[in-house]
Amino acid sequence: MTESIPGSLTGSIGLKQMSQPSIGERVADLLRERIISGAIPEGTLLPRQEDLMREFNVSRPPMREALRILEAEGLIVVRRGNVGGAEVRAPDRSGVTNALALLLQFERAPLKDLADALVELEPLCVGLAAEREDRQEIVAELLRPLINQQRESLDDGAAFTSTSRDFHEALINACGNATIRLSVGALVTLWSTQERAWADTAVSTEHYPELAQRAEVLKVHEQITAAIEKGDRKRAMTLARGHARAYPQHVLDNNANRRILLGPRTR
């Protein structure tokens, strides 16, 4: 059987003597490009399968294969029932984070391995943020509100850890380089999972750090923020490196060789 994919995007493409999964992959490629380019906006439904089959001139099996590929990539959510259909979703970082966690588990990388990586990578992101021309706007809109949240949650250990992790993730997002933001951000998100799990246990067992230690963390965060705002790359990186070496120690105590936990799949 010969099936073809009409060239609504790329011109007429004949696919002869190819298996149905390969045809399904080609359909998935074309639909993926539409989603990534924004031609099919997030939150909208793909056309009905029958309409897509007519457009691409393919039968039902490769069309289903294409939808399975896109669903596995997190680009669509297939809803069944009376209000069914394939809803378009924007790509997110959770898949990358979970894939990294699985790979690190497979490599038997200990928790300390992840912490050591962030000692090198977080200061780089902080330095890039300090060099941005719009750094003052970033500080005002992104970092200082999180500093205020941390200050308000000083008396609540689990909440303080959560807002502290939000601050570290914001530092990565502020670096201005998409490749670094996504790759390092996945590692930081993965560490956040480890630290939040530790905080829940530490609070329940009354082993959470004292208020003075939390205040010291907040002080360092304020100093890093101020250095970024002033554009002082060297000081910002020095503070970030010292902080990255010190703050994970309470998590690593008796857990340095523990395997890395998988985080929940969230959007």
Side-chain angles (χ1 to χ4, degrees):
M1 176 181 178
T2 299
E3 300 214 45
S4 62
I5 302 173
S8 59
L9 289 180
T10 61
S12 181
I13 301 173
L15 297 176
K16 297 182 179 180
Q17 297 179 345
M18 296 182 69
S19 64
Q20 286 186 344
S22 295
I23 296 169
E25 288 172 2
R26 187 67 182 118
V27 174
D29 288 343
L30 294 171
L31 289 172
R32 185 188 303 108
E33 176 57 32
R34 294 182 185 182
I35 294 170
I36 297 299
S37 69
I40 306 178
E42 180 182 12
T44 61
L45 293 177
L46 290 180
R48 295 183 310 124
Q49 282 194 41
E50 291 76 9
D51 295 333
L52 290 170
M53 287 160 55
R54 280 193 295 271
E55 177 183 354
F56 295 118
N57 192 24
V58 298
S59 62
R60 191 173 299 276
M63 191 69 249
R64 286 177 173 170
E65 175 68 14
L67 295 178
R68 281 196 294 267
I69 292 170
L70 296 176
E71 187 173 26
E73 294 173 346
L75 293 177
I76 63 170
V77 175
V78 178
R79 304 191 184 282
R80 293 167 177 83
N82 293 332
V83 194
E87 181 182 343
V88 173
R89 304 292 293 270
D92 73 355
R93 200 161 57 197
S94 65
V96 178
T97 302
N98 281 279
L100 277 169
L102 284 170
L103 285 169
L104 289 168
Q105 283 192 343
F106 183 77
E107 293 282 342
R108 292 177 171 77
L111 186 57
K112 186 177 184 300
D113 192 88
L114 176 58
D116 289 345
L118 294 178
V119 169
E120 303 300 325
L121 296 171
E122 277 201 36
L124 169 65
C125 296
V126 169
L128 290 171
E131 291 181 330
R132 290 184 59 166
E133 292 184 2
D134 60 347
R135 59 185 176 272
Q136 293 183 351
E137 288 81 359
I138 290 171
V139 165
E141 297 174 10
L142 188 61
L143 299 180
R144 290 212 180 279
L146 293 173
I147 290 285
N148 293 334
Q149 290 178 27
Q150 284 180 268
R151 187 177 294 107
E152 292 169 1
S153 62
L154 270 171
D155 292 329
D156 183 336
F160 181 79
T161 289
S162 184
T163 56
S164 177
R165 294 316 307 160
D166 289 341
F167 176 81
H168 279 268
E169 292 175 23
L171 285 176
I172 308 306
N173 289 331
C175 77
N177 180 290
T179 302
I180 294 174
R181 173 172 55 82
L182 292 171
S183 56
V184 179
L187 292 173
V188 171
T189 300
L190 185 53
W191 176 267
S192 293
T193 297
Q194 321 306 307
E195 189 160 343
R196 287 185 171 108
W198 162 84
D200 289 341
T201 300
V203 168
S204 65
T205 59
E206 299 183 351
H207 286 89
Y208 196 86
E210 297 293 332
L211 182 62
Q213 292 175 278
R214 301 174 222 170
E216 184 61 29
V217 168
L218 176 60
K219 178 181 177 182
V220 175
H221 286 182
E222 291 174 327
Q223 291 172 336
I224 291 171
T225 300
I228 292 173
E229 187 173 38
K230 294 176 182 177
D232 191 338
R233 182 178 187 273
K234 182 177 180 180
R235 175 166 170 75
M237 290 185 68
T238 298
L239 287 166
R241 182 168 288 107
H243 185 49
R245 285 177 177 149
Y247 80 80
Q249 294 310 310
H250 50 265
V251 181
L252 293 175
D253 284 346
N254 302 318
N255 289 302
N257 294 316
R258 191 201 72 197
R259 75 174 187 168
I260 295 166
L261 301 175
L262 288 172
R265 288 186 175 271
T266 57
R267 290 196 64 83

